[in-house]
Amino acid sequence: MLPARPVVRLGLVLAGGMAALACGLADVFRPAGPESVTIVYVGDTILHRDSTVPFSVVVQAGGVQLDRPHLTMWSSDTTVFALTAGKDSLAAKSGIATATLMIRLQSSILTDSAPTLAQSIKVRP
């Protein structure tokens, strides 16, 4: 077997280095700690009594949008509005009132404490 030429060796070293970076080896050497998490409510903040309005929530960790984050959501006052069974819509109930939609990301991997968003929702007649 003939010894490899220096150019071939250099090419193999470069290809190996690029493969290591592409598979996330740099993340191994990043300092440990919680990721920066952003929760954004996307939907109407003023609802009309007896209406059901869809909404969505966008969650980003470290600047990357999470696909299907595990969220816990609830209304601070269910007599004003409540979440539908699928938790993708708000059902307005009262005439003139304001309550808070609480959204919490459940993930111990991303942060040391559960990030929470408190979104004020108003109901009008």
Side-chain angles (χ1 to χ4, degrees):
M1 183 168 174
L2 296 174
R5 294 183 181 177
V7 173
V8 173
R9 287 183 190 165
L10 180 62
L12 289 173
V13 169
L14 287 175
M18 290 172 50
L21 289 175
C23 71
L25 184 63
D27 292 339
V28 172
F29 299 105
R30 187 175 4 160
E35 293 281 346
S36 136
V37 176
T38 306
I39 302 172
V40 179
Y41 169 83
V42 180
D44 292 334
T45 57
I46 299 176
L47 310 177
H48 295 286
R49 183 180 60 216
D50 299 327
S51 67
T52 301
V53 179
F55 73 96
S56 63
V57 178
V58 176
V59 180
Q60 292 184 339
V64 177
Q65 185 170 335
L66 298 179
D67 185 36
R68 296 183 185 180
H70 182 66
L71 300 172
T72 303
M73 297 181 275
W74 68 95
S75 171
S76 65
D77 186 351
T78 56
T79 62
V80 177
F81 71 86
L83 289 152
T84 60
K87 295 191 176 185
D88 61 350
S89 298
L90 300 175
K93 295 181 177 182
S94 73
I96 299 176
T98 301
T100 304
L101 173 64
M102 303 297 292
I103 304 169
R104 176 174 289 153
L105 175 65
Q106 300 297 320
S107 176
S108 60
I109 294 172
L110 297 174
T111 64
D112 56 352
S113 63
T116 304
L117 172 71
Q119 178 66 53
S120 178
I121 305 289
K122 298 176 184 177
V123 176
R124 302 278 184 220

